[in-house]
């Protein structure tokens, strides 16, 4: 009993401190900026935004993105699709859309150097080829579905808040029950580690960003030498945003659920493999901080459901002391927070039919797996990404 009492005391102290940190982060969400809404400007307004869309074998997914961008009015000036020599017909899909959209241009980037990852290389190429009259560069992923009024809204928000870089969190499109079960648990690892979208004045080392919709002033990109600071990063969005914040530029991350949707991965397996490889954000985080975040996630997300069940089974006539009861209470409290967060993030999911969405409410049961995925990812360097193999990756 003494050993169990000591273990419970250790859990109480560590989980208690972690819980206070978590609560302080979540409390900031109550004062965050509301989700952005569409903005529509008259046709005679200035057009000073270049959109860059990197593609590699996106023929099956790029059409909704191009359709959404075609619906954007001012301040959109041009749409640059930078294709990295796709072999699935992506270029033909883009070329077919060019007939109805004179702002759309198809570019092929230069061969990928050994010291670059494909996505930042394509974004950098698009930035270098963009019209010098564009004050803003907006990176948009090919698997997104921009909604009308997106471009004007994100630029207006950046100007109102004085941001040099602004990215948006999307509304997620999920289909299978497996996706609805695992994806929210993986997303929660980000929400627990960092402030919510819309929270102002984030510390440079905790700045969040989303490359699916990433707006940056041209002058800032020029000062940063384009995407070179994120050349070898598999989370180039966060790497670039934090590098800019450390240099004194203002970086924002707002809720864009009303403006952009994304269908990132097909099925639970692809969600586990592909998204899980970048969620640790190790390329934008010093190792000591990364592993401190891993321990924090274990305490507040990965372990509570397991500990709550185990401690309840121990609690009885032979094991009934104060630290055990308090440990049960703390883990129960963390589980209540976790289920409450499901209601908070529910608007971040697109539900046209609700098919498979029932498993969303069971996603806290996937928390131990989600945290395990972060640990696995933090311990490895990706060897391939989107069909590309990177020599030298360990």
């Amino acid at each position: 009993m003494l050993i169990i009492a000591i273990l419970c005391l250790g859990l109480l102290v560590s989980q208690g401190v972690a819980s206070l940190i978590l609560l302080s982060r979540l409390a900031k969400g109550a004062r965050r900026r509301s989700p952005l809404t569409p903005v529509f400007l008259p046709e005679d307004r200035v057009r000073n935004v270049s959109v860059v869309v990197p593609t590699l074998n996106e023929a099956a997914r790029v059409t909704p993105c191009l359709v959404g961008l075609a619906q954007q009015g001012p301040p959109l000036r041009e749409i640059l699709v930078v294709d990295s020599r796709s072999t699935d017909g992506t270029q033909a899909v883009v070329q077919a859309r060019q007939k109805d959209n004179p702002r759309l241009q198809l570019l092929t980037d230069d061969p990928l150097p050994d010291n670059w990852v494909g996505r930042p290389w394509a974004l950098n190429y698009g930035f270098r080829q963009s019209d010098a009259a564009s004050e803003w560069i907006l990176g948009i992923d090919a698997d997104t579905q921009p909604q009308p009024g997106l471009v004007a809204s994100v630029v207006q928000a950046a100007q109102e808040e004085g941001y040099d870089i602004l990215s948006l969190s999307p509304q997620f499109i999920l289909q299978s029950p497996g996706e609805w079960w695992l994806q929210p648990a993986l997303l929660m690892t980000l929400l627990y580690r960092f402030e919510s979208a819309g929270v102002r004045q984030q510390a440079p080392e905790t700045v969040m960003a989303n490359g699916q919709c990433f707006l940056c002033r041209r002058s800032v990109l020029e000062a940063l030498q384009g995407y070179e600071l994120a050349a070898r990063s598999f989370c180039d969005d966060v790497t670039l945003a934090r590098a800019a914040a450390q240099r004194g530029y203002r970086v924002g991350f707002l809720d864009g659920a009303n403006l952009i949707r994304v269908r990132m991965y097909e099925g639970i397996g692809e969600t586990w493999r592909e998204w899980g490889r970048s969620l640790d954000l190790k390329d934008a985080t010093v190792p000591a901080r990364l592993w401190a975040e891993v321990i924090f996630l274990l305490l507040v997300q990965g372990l509570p459901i397991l500990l709550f069940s185990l401690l309840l089974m121990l609690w009885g006539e032979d094991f009934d002391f104060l630290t055990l009861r308090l440990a049960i209470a703390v883990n129960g409290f963390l589980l209540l927070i976790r289920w409450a967060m499901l209601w908070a993030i529910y608007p971040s999911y697109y539900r046209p039919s609700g098919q498979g969405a029932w498993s969303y409410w069971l996603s806290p049961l996937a928390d131990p797996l989600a945290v395990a995925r972060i640990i696995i990812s933090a311990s490895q360097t990706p060897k391939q990404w989107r069909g590309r193999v990177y020599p030298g990756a360990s």
Side-chain angles (χ1 to χ4, degrees):
M1 182 178 292
L2 178 61
I3 295 176
I4 294 178
I6 294 173
L7 289 175
C8 287
L9 180 60
L11 280 174
L12 275 175
V13 173
S14 56
Q15 285 190 304
V17 172
S19 297
L20 291 175
I21 295 173
L22 176 63
L23 288 172
S24 69
R25 290 175 180 170
L26 297 180
K28 295 178 182 179
R31 302 186 301 274
R32 72 190 187 113
R33 175 166 174 156
S34 300
L36 298 185
T37 55
V39 172
F40 302 95
L41 301 177
E43 285 298 317
D44 61 353
R45 295 293 292 273
V46 64
R47 294 178 179 269
N48 60 352
V49 178
S50 290
V51 168
V52 179
V53 184
T55 61
L56 176 61
N57 295 329
E58 299 283 3
R61 302 196 293 181
V62 73
T63 296
C65 177
L66 298 179
V67 170
L69 290 175
Q71 296 173 342
Q72 306 296 318
L76 178 60
R77 183 184 189 88
E78 60 182 352
I79 305 164
L80 307 178
V81 176
V82 181
D83 187 67
S84 299
R85 295 170 177 77
S86 296
T87 58
D88 69 340
T90 297
Q91 294 192 8
V93 173
V94 177
Q95 288 168 344
R97 290 286 166 182
Q98 283 183 291
K99 300 174 183 177
D100 301 320
N101 190 353
R103 296 177 297 177
L104 177 60
Q105 301 178 46
L106 175 62
L107 308 174
T108 300
D109 56 9
D110 294 330
L112 182 67
D114 290 339
N115 60 334
W116 281 77
V117 172
R119 186 177 183 279
W121 175 252
L123 288 166
N124 191 66
Y125 186 86
F127 159 60
R128 301 297 183 189
Q129 299 299 315
S130 64
D131 194 315
S134 290
E135 179 186 353
W136 298 92
I137 306 297
L138 176 59
I140 294 286
D141 276 4
D143 56 6
T144 63
Q145 299 179 12
Q147 302 301 297
L150 162 67
V151 176
S153 179
V154 68
V155 171
Q156 178 175 290
Q159 292 171 335
E160 289 175 352
E161 300 283 350
Y163 289 134
D164 301 298
I165 293 177
L166 174 59
S167 60
L168 303 184
S169 64
Q171 190 174 56
F172 298 99
I173 301 173
L174 307 180
Q175 293 181 0
S176 70
E179 293 173 59
W180 279 103
W181 182 67
L182 178 63
Q183 197 272 0
L186 290 170
L187 177 64
M188 201 61 62
T189 65
L190 293 176
L191 298 178
Y192 274 19
R193 290 164 66 189
F194 311 109
E195 282 84 8
S196 304
V199 173
R200 299 176 173 90
Q201 298 178 336
Q202 300 178 36
E205 63 272 14
T206 63
V207 160
M208 267 302 296
N210 178 26
Q212 294 163 343
C213 183
F214 189 97
L215 180 74
C216 186
R217 292 184 188 274
R218 171 181 291 278
S219 59
V220 173
L221 274 179
E222 290 173 344
L224 296 175
Q225 302 299 311
Y227 287 79
E228 288 187 11
L229 291 172
R232 287 295 294 176
S233 176
F234 288 95
C235 57
D236 56 273
D237 44 8
V238 180
T239 297
L240 191 66
R242 290 182 179 178
Q246 289 166 359
R247 286 160 173 76
Y249 295 109
R250 293 206 63 204
V251 179
F253 181 53
L254 301 181
D255 189 335
N258 298 321
L259 300 173
I260 189 165
R261 297 173 186 151
V262 61
R263 171 75 176 143
M264 292 193 300
Y265 304 112
E266 300 291 334
I268 186 174
E270 193 172 73
T271 301
W272 171 269
R273 290 191 308 273
E274 301 295 334
W275 201 26
R277 278 188 290 195
S278 61
L279 275 180
D280 60 287
L281 304 183
K282 60 177 169 290
D283 292 340
T285 311
V286 296
R289 186 176 186 88
L290 171 63
W291 288 106
E293 291 172 355
V294 168
I295 294 171
F296 171 77
L297 282 178
L298 272 172
L299 292 171
V300 299
Q301 186 183 358
L303 292 178
I305 194 165
L306 301 176
L307 289 174
F308 184 73
S309 303
L310 176 62
L311 294 176
L312 273 183
M313 288 189 292
L314 287 176
W315 187 31
E317 186 174 329
D318 295 330
F319 294 97
D320 187 3
F321 44 87
L322 180 60
T323 53
L324 177 62
R325 293 185 179 186
L326 290 176
I328 293 173
V330 168
N331 283 279
F333 177 65
L334 287 169
L335 289 178
L336 286 176
I337 292 176
R338 177 63 176 87
W339 256 284
M341 287 296 293
L342 286 178
W343 290 101
I345 68 171
Y346 198 48
S348 295
Y349 291 89
Y350 183 55
R351 307 173 303 278
S353 65
Q355 183 178 2
W358 57 269
S359 61
Y360 170 82
W361 303 104
L362 301 178
S363 64
L365 300 178
D367 281 358
L369 279 178
V371 176
R373 187 66 182 95
I374 299 298
I375 296 172
I376 293 170
S377 182
S379 306
Q380 300 174 343
T381 299
K383 297 180 180 179
Q384 60 179 357
W385 200 276
R386 292 291 189 184
R388 275 191 169 122
V389 177
Y390 291 93
S394 58

